[in-house]
Amino acid sequence: TDNDIYYLANKSFEGYYNPDSLYRLCYTLDKKGYRFVVPIAGGSAQGIYRYTRQNTALTPKGMFYTCGYDVDMQEYSNHVAFSILKRTDKLVSEFIDDWVAGKELEKTRFLGLGSDYVDFKTADRFVGTTSFPSHILDSLRAISIQCELEHYSSK
């Protein structure tokens, strides 16, 4: 697939909190015709949510979307189509149960998109609509899981 990746960071590439830079990047991407941005950007993602709240009426058919990451972010903008949820609650609960039961605990554990610890949740405003149909999210999830498996199996 053709994907453009933009990395926003300070000169040492450690990352930083800069929602204004991401806001400006969204403006540029929107004007170039991009319609979806995945914000793996920590607190800087606030720039994407602010951009979609303030500018989507200006885009063709209001079609500039994003997704939430880690938790359900649909309340941040009407243009959060879905959220990728990390189920740390489930993981911690199972860890404690195993610990209490005296089971041997793993030192490390890889939990990818295909595990029961990650959920994709369509934003309520898009459920049952044609704006962002659920089959698109299902397709994105399947593609994401496949890409993740291919990436980690090649290492």
Side-chain angles (χ1 to χ4, degrees):
T1 60
D2 294 331
N3 299 306
D4 292 335
I5 298 172
Y6 294 87
Y7 185 78
L8 297 177
N10 56 17
K11 290 183 180 181
S12 62
F13 298 102
E14 297 167 354
Y16 65 148
Y17 179 78
N18 197 337
D20 292 338
S21 289
L22 205 44
Y23 182 97
R24 288 188 299 274
L25 178 59
C26 285
Y27 173 82
T28 301
L29 295 174
D30 189 8
K31 298 310 170 209
K32 288 182 177 181
Y34 289 83
R35 295 292 155 243
F36 199 91
V37 175
V38 178
I40 303 174
S44 293
Q46 295 304 316
I48 295 174
Y49 303 131
R50 183 168 48 103
Y51 182 83
T52 60
R53 283 193 307 269
Q54 293 175 349
N55 296 289
T56 51
L58 306 175
T59 64
K61 299 181 183 177
M63 295 185 64
F64 190 85
Y65 294 99
T66 189
C67 65
Y69 206 78
D70 295 338
V71 297
D72 185 357
M73 303 291 277
Q74 66 180 307
E75 297 304 320
Y76 282 71
S77 169
N78 287 336
H79 281 249
V80 172
F82 63 91
S83 292
I84 301 169
L85 311 176
K86 291 182 183 176
R87 295 292 315 274
T88 52
D89 57 331
K90 181 177 181 180
L91 182 64
V92 169
S93 177
E94 289 178 10
F95 179 87
I96 291 171
D97 290 345
D98 289 348
W99 177 66
V100 169
K103 293 182 181 177
E104 187 173 339
L105 304 174
E106 300 173 65
K107 292 185 187 222
T108 60
R109 193 169 171 191
F110 177 79
L111 303 169
L113 297 172
S115 74
D116 289 335
Y117 303 98
V118 178
D119 288 329
F120 285 57
K121 180 186 184 307
T122 302
D124 296 340
R125 69 184 57 80
F126 292 107
V127 173
T129 71
T130 57
S131 297
F132 200 86
S134 61
H135 74 276
I136 291 176
L137 181 59
D138 294 341
S139 175
L140 288 172
R141 181 181 183 142
I143 290 167
S144 298
I145 290 170
Q146 183 61 40
C147 289
E148 180 181 71
L149 290 172
E150 289 172 8
H151 173 77
Y152 286 104
S153 66
S154 68
K155 294 200 174 246

